Amino acid sequence: NRKLPVFFNSPGGEVRAATSLGRVLRQQGITASVGKTSPNACAGLAADACQKLLKKPDGPVPARVTSYGGQCNSACVYALIGAKTREVAPDAVVGVHAVSLKLTVRVLRGPPLSQARLNAMAKSRLNDVNENLRDYVVEMGIDPELFDLSAGISPNRVHVLSRDELATYRIDTR
C-alpha cells in the first residue's frame, strides 16, 4: 500500500505501452517525476565501469535520484502525464514530437500490395493512433494543445518543452 513516486529517465519508446503505463499510474494515484538514478558506488566511474559493477549486485544498490540529466521524451511523456501528480524539476528535460509508425504487411496469397495501397493503410493506421492519443491527452486532463504541438514536430526531432509550456499544458501539477 506504499505509493512511492516513479521517476522517468527515458529517450522514448512505444506509445501503446506508455499510455497503458500512464493509466496504471493514474488508477493507483501515483506521483511521477523526471529524474536520473545515480548509484553511490558509481561516483567517479566511467559509464561502462558502472554498468559492469551493477551487473552483479548483492542486494539493493544505494543510489540517489537527481533531476539533473533526467529526460522524458517522446512516448515517455504519455506515461508521465498519466500520473495523478506530476512534478518536473527545472533542470529535467521533457521533449515531444509526432508519432512515427512502422507498418509491416505480409501478403500470404495473391499479388503484392501496391505502394499506394500500403501508404493508404499506413496513413489510416496513423490517423487512428493519433486520434486515440489526443483522446488520451484529454482524458488525463492535459491541454490538447500539447498533442497538437507534438503532432507538428517531425519524428526525427524533439521539441523540449519550456517551463511555461509545462505549466500551460498542465504537465507539472505543482
Side-chain angles (χ1 to χ4, degrees):
N1 291 330
R2 294 174 64 198
K3 292 194 178 188
L4 298 173
V6 171
F7 289 86
F8 288 103
N9 185 39
S10 171
E14 208 279 321
V15 172
R16 194 174 5 184
T19 56
S20 294
L21 178 56
R23 285 192 171 99
V24 170
L25 295 174
R26 180 62 57 99
Q27 182 181 40
Q28 297 297 315
I30 300 294
T31 296
S33 189
V34 179
K36 191 172 184 178
T37 304
S38 300
N40 297 347
C42 291
L45 294 179
D48 58 339
C50 179
Q51 288 299 323
K52 189 175 180 180
L53 179 72
L54 295 176
K55 286 206 187 229
K56 298 180 186 176
D58 295 325
V61 177
R64 63 184 177 87
V65 175
T66 178
S67 55
Y68 179 75
Q71 65 174 328
C72 182
N73 296 324
S74 189
C76 177
V77 175
Y78 295 106
L80 174 67
I81 67 173
K84 184 174 182 180
T85 303
R86 300 170 298 277
E87 300 173 352
V88 180
D91 55 356
V93 172
V94 177
V96 297
H97 63 75
V99 173
S100 63
L101 180 69
K102 181 178 180 182
L103 183 67
T104 303
V105 177
R106 226 172 86 193
V107 178
L108 299 176
R109 284 189 221 141
L113 298 173
S114 69
Q115 190 60 49
R117 178 71 177 129
L118 290 171
N119 290 345
M121 290 170 67
K123 184 176 182 180
S124 174
R125 180 66 186 125
L126 186 58
N127 287 340
D128 288 345
V129 168
N130 281 329
E131 213 174 281
N132 289 334
L133 269 181
R134 193 171 210 290
D135 291 346
Y136 171 81
V137 166
V138 171
E139 176 189 340
M140 294 301 133
I142 302 297
D143 187 327
E145 287 292 319
L146 173 68
F147 174 80
D148 297 338
L149 170 71
S150 301
I153 307 296
S154 166
N156 300 325
R157 295 184 44 231
V158 173
H159 171 80
V160 175
L161 298 173
S162 68
R163 295 303 301 166
D164 286 343
E165 288 171 320
L166 290 168
T168 298
Y169 300 137
R170 299 187 295 273
I171 295 171
D172 192 322
T173 56
R174 289 180 288 172

